[in-house]
Amino acid sequence: LIVVLKAFSILITIILISPIQLFLVFFKLKYRYYLPILFHKIILRILSVKVRLIGKNNKYRPLVLIGNHTSYIDIMVLGSLMPISFVAKSEISKWFLFGFLAKMQNTVFITRKNFKTKESLKKINKKLNSSYALVLFPEGTTNAGKKILNFKTSLFNLFEHNNTLRLQNFTLCYTHVNDMPIDSRSRPKVSWYGDMNLFQHLGGLLKISCLDVTIVFHPTFLTKGLHRKEIANLSMKQVKEGKRIALKT
């Protein structure tokens, strides 16, 4: 019964908020950047996801946020904190429901093969503005969440072409499921990766009574004079360190 109630509550939230967001997006009103925050907060409340913050997100824009990626829940956690837009693979735009929601979040869709092209960088640069931060997941895929995968350096070209761009790394760490420390048995209930069926996974998530996640915001730095590989390595080190900080505190 609880699962049904949660699913119904999420559906009603989408039905109520989507037309308003469509209106805001159509007329390009500034509130289109802020309504998703409310939407994500409501969804996290329905799913009983508790978010703990360590550090502070930078208030200055333009800003690029870079961090690890474990699940679609990451989107809701980040989206509940500030106005943001994501860079995602083009296939997501065609996904049922999730594709629609991604478009409502001002997502930049990029063909995976063209990450290095000027066209992709041009698309991303167009989205850099003072209204929201842009989020990149340089691992290129989701994973079980036990470790941080190597960062793909291609999108870090963005910083070589914009010396004034601020970069802030973050680390997302899921720590507890149903008030118990996350382990190998409970981790797949949260992490969505490989060939897992999206809707089956979501059904399993609805059965969880509560979920704890810690997000660590690292100090912001300017990338002027740094090569994309140097920036990628610095980012990866910070994100890995964030995992240790999240589990220690």
Side-chain angles (χ1 to χ4, degrees), residues 17-247:
I17 290 183
S18 292
I20 303 172
Q21 181 67 359
L22 274 170
F23 175 83
L24 296 175
V25 170
F26 183 80
F27 288 102
K28 296 182 179 179
L29 302 176
K30 66 177 182 179
Y31 296 107
R32 73 186 187 273
Y33 303 125
Y34 298 94
L35 187 60
I37 298 176
L38 174 64
F39 172 77
H40 292 302
K41 283 183 181 293
I42 293 171
I43 299 301
L44 291 179
R45 187 70 177 268
I46 293 169
L47 295 173
S48 297
V49 178
K50 293 180 284 186
V51 181
R52 182 172 68 112
L53 290 178
I54 297 177
K56 292 182 179 180
N57 56 299
N58 196 308
K59 303 297 182 184
Y60 295 98
R61 302 290 181 269
L63 174 71
V64 176
L65 295 169
I66 284 179
N68 59 312
H69 195 18
T70 302
S71 174
Y72 49 85
I73 310 169
D74 303 347
I75 308 299
M76 295 180 272
V77 171
L78 289 165
S80 70
L81 300 175
M82 69 189 102
I84 52 175
S85 176
F86 295 89
V87 174
K89 57 185 180 182
S90 57
E91 300 96 286
I92 292 176
S93 66
K94 300 172 185 176
W95 289 4
F96 173 73
L97 186 59
F98 284 85
F100 168 75
L101 293 175
K103 290 172 185 175
M104 292 299 96
Q105 186 79 45
N106 303 297
T107 300
V108 187
F109 296 107
I110 291 177
T111 305
R112 191 190 294 267
K113 294 178 182 178
N114 295 334
F115 272 5
K116 292 182 180 179
T117 65
K118 288 183 179 178
E119 182 185 348
S120 294
L121 293 174
K122 194 174 179 181
K123 269 188 180 182
I124 296 170
N125 269 304
K126 278 185 179 179
K127 287 288 185 178
L128 292 170
N129 60 44
S130 59
S131 299
Y132 54 77
L134 190 65
V135 180
L136 303 179
F137 295 119
E139 289 170 299
T141 184
T142 52
N143 67 88
K146 285 185 178 181
K147 61 180 182 178
I148 309 297
L149 303 181
N150 288 333
F151 283 5
K152 299 182 185 301
T153 63
S154 53
L155 279 181
F156 285 89
N157 276 324
L158 179 68
F159 300 100
E160 290 186 345
H161 291 80
N162 191 335
N163 288 329
T164 62
L165 193 55
R166 295 179 184 87
L167 187 160
Q168 184 171 30
N169 296 306
F170 65 86
T171 307
L172 274 166
C173 185
Y174 295 91
T175 59
H176 293 77
V177 177
N178 297 334
D179 291 323
M180 297 294 291
I182 196 167
D183 56 21
S184 297
R185 185 179 296 180
S186 58
R187 194 175 295 280
K189 295 178 182 178
V190 179
S191 304
W192 179 67
Y193 57 97
D195 58 356
M196 287 182 174
N197 181 279
L198 180 58
F199 289 98
Q200 285 181 1
H201 188 273
L202 183 56
L205 180 67
L206 293 174
K207 295 176 183 177
I208 295 176
S209 60
C210 61
L211 173 63
D212 290 18
V213 55
T214 296
I215 179 166
V216 180
F217 282 108
H218 301 281
T220 308
F221 65 91
L222 288 172
T223 58
K224 186 176 182 179
L226 296 176
H227 185 269
R228 62 183 172 85
K229 290 186 178 180
E230 291 178 286
I231 302 168
N233 286 332
L234 286 170
S235 289
M236 190 165 64
K237 284 179 182 178
Q238 274 197 337
V239 174
K240 284 184 176 180
E241 175 64 13
K243 198 102 174 172
R244 187 190 64 79
I245 294 170
L247 294 172

